[in-house]
Amino acid sequence: LTRLARFNYLSSTPFVAHMLAIVLAQAAASSLAPYTPLGASYATSDPSANAAFFATYLNATLVKQTAFTSVIRFGSAPAFVNTTGVASPHYIRFVRPSNGTELQQLREYETMLSGLHAGIANGTYDQYMDSHLGVLLIDKAEHNKYVQRLRAGGVPFLVRCGEELPGFASVFVAAPSGLVVEVSGYSDLPAVPWAFCSPTSEMARRWLPRAASPPHPLHAVPQIWKMTLQSSAPAEAQAVVNETLATRTTLQPHADAGANGTCANITWSAFETCASPTKTSCVYQVHFIENPRKPVGSLSVRGLEQLAGRQWLRNMSDFRAWGLQNFVLLHSHGASDLARALDQGTRLRYSVSSTAVRGVPRTSVMLAVPHAATDQFVVTDAPVDATAAFLASALM
């Protein structure tokens, strides 16, 4: 593994300045190959516990484990049929910082998340739950089996349902280090509507009958369809990904529940990862949510964004920082074009690195989106079938 890095850092600036600079990259971005989401990375003090959680409840498979990392194959890639013409597996890396100071800071953050997410057992949705991985188990029987597995394991979960899709339920759980996963599909669970204007919502009290022990295994492959990120300014964050990563704005269905600027702000954008995307294939989405009526704990969402600016975003070429280990991984043949466009001038924070994959130098761009501090985006031109190896060795 070899790496060369260059890094851009500029302090926070008004949104207009951000957008003016992004125009410089827009022409190159519009000509890029489609962005294909391939996986994600999450910092954690206990990689093996998180890998085991996904293996136990969502049929993930451990593909590589070291003293500091666990890489799992989990579900299918969001594109379903990606730029290679075939469905790709989705990979997640859990990584523990090797630097003692970074590890201690991460543990303090995890302790805060643990306190907030304890409210899941009582039906309380907190603001940090707005950063979560979105998974589809459409089939009712499969979704019911997933819920039964959670109940058998004593895992607290929270249910939300939208009026736009009757019988469809989203089940939220927190993995051991605080990563929230939303698994959605048709379900026998009683409906609990979204209520963005209330600090809490009642949890459904009538659960499915307890399954036989052990619960039936899942047979369907989960489909990863979105990443949702908490944000103090969703419209600004969305504008950056639309201009820089060629996403398009799509409608979000929760306006009638208060997510229309009255009580919450939500924006949805979609990556179109094939020539003819539909509502059910070749689309991966990124959502940004400001949810101020919900509990937030000792560190506000804006406070986290400011902390990121002072810590891990100050030097984005120092991958030892725990905050830089949280990212969505995208493939694009145009990674080098994106790097050159950003190098021409931008107010965004980013870094560019070169990593040898199978002996060939590959370009990776790590991009920080303003007002979305929990995760970065990494765009790489490393081969799609080398995703697991890339996650196991690069950007560490």
Side-chain angles (χ1 to χ4, degrees):
L1 173 70
T2 60
R3 181 193 300 125
L4 297 173
R6 60 187 184 272
F7 158 70
N8 177 284
Y9 167 77
L10 286 169
S11 60
S12 297
T13 55
F15 176 60
V16 173
H18 279 294
M19 297 313 300
L20 178 62
I22 291 168
V23 170
L24 297 174
Q26 186 173 10
S30 65
S31 64
L32 296 182
Y35 289 90
T36 303
L38 297 177
S41 173
Y42 300 103
T44 170
S45 62
D46 194 342
S48 60
N50 283 273
F53 181 90
F54 277 79
T56 300
Y57 298 106
L58 284 163
N59 280 8
T61 302
L62 183 68
V63 297
K64 186 175 181 62
Q65 188 159 358
T66 69
F68 294 99
T69 63
S70 294
V71 179
I72 60 172
R73 183 172 61 248
F74 170 52
S76 64
F80 307 160
V81 178
N82 64 20
T83 53
T84 65
V86 296
S88 292
H90 184 268
Y91 293 91
I92 296 178
R93 175 180 74 179
F94 299 105
V95 56
R96 187 180 70 196
S98 58
N99 178 277
T101 300
E102 295 292 333
L103 179 58
Q104 179 58 34
Q105 292 174 351
L106 174 59
R107 284 174 171 158
E108 292 172 359
Y109 181 71
E110 290 176 343
T111 298
M112 183 195 72
L113 291 182
S114 177
L116 280 172
H117 297 341
I120 289 175
N122 298 316
T124 301
Y125 187 106
D126 64 77
Q127 291 187 41
Y128 277 79
M129 288 177 64
D130 284 334
S131 287
H132 58 260
L133 180 67
V135 181
L136 294 178
L137 274 175
I138 298 293
D139 182 76
K140 179 185 287 190
E142 293 297 300
H143 195 271
N144 286 345
K145 284 189 289 186
Y146 168 67
V147 172
Q148 291 165 352
R149 296 183 76 81
L150 294 176
R151 294 184 69 243
V155 178
F157 59 93
L158 180 151
V159 181
R160 292 292 182 268
C161 306
E163 295 181 358
E164 75 282 354
L165 202 57
F168 203 79
S170 292
V171 172
F172 292 84
V173 300
S177 294
L179 170 64
V180 173
V181 184
E182 175 191 1
V183 179
S184 303
Y186 289 98
S187 173
D188 286 331
L189 289 168
V192 181
W194 288 97
F196 294 97
C197 294
S198 172
T200 61
S201 296
E202 283 299 313
M203 187 178 187
R205 301 297 179 184
R206 296 182 293 110
W207 303 120
L208 296 171
R210 186 171 293 277
S213 184
H216 296 296
L218 296 178
H219 295 297
V221 176
Q223 299 169 346
I224 291 77
W225 75 282
K226 69 164 184 172
M227 187 66 201
T228 300
L229 301 175
Q230 66 196 53
S231 172
S232 67
E236 297 180 18
Q238 180 190 50
V240 170
V241 296
N242 282 356
E243 293 292 342
T244 310
L245 297 177
T247 56
R248 60 173 174 81
T249 297
T250 186
L251 294 178
Q252 60 90 5
H254 301 307
D256 290 343
N260 56 1
T262 302
C263 301
N265 291 293
I266 299 179
T267 60
W268 286 17
S269 287
F271 291 89
E272 295 183 356
T273 56
C274 66
S276 301
T278 69
K279 290 183 178 180
T280 58
S281 67
C282 295
V283 172
Y284 173 73
Q285 296 189 357
V286 55
H287 301 172
F288 300 101
I289 302 182
E290 181 185 24
N291 209 355
R293 301 289 181 95
K294 303 303 182 184
V296 72
S298 60
L299 183 63
S300 69
V301 173
R302 184 175 294 277
L304 178 69
E305 294 168 359
Q306 293 170 344
L307 179 67
R310 294 192 305 268
Q311 293 187 6
W312 59 87
L313 298 183
R314 287 187 62 83
N315 183 2
M316 290 184 65
S317 62
D318 184 358
F319 299 124
R320 295 174 301 174
W322 71 266
L324 294 184
Q325 297 304 318
N326 299 322
F327 58 80
V328 175
L329 180 64
L330 307 170
H331 175 269
S332 174
H333 293 297
S336 295
D337 294 334
L338 176 62
R340 283 191 291 269
L342 292 170
D343 282 347
Q344 289 175 7
T346 179
R347 307 297 289 185
L348 300 177
R349 303 181 185 194
Y350 72 98
S351 65
V352 180
S353 61
S354 178
T355 302
V357 179
R358 297 174 180 166
V360 178
R362 298 292 184 176
T363 298
S364 298
V365 180
M366 177 176 283
L367 179 69
V369 175
H371 307 293
T374 51
D375 291 77
Q376 286 69 235
F377 290 87
V378 171
V379 179
T380 183
D381 56 11
V384 170
D385 61 0
T387 301
F390 178 87
L391 282 172
S393 60
L395 305 178
M396 292 177 60

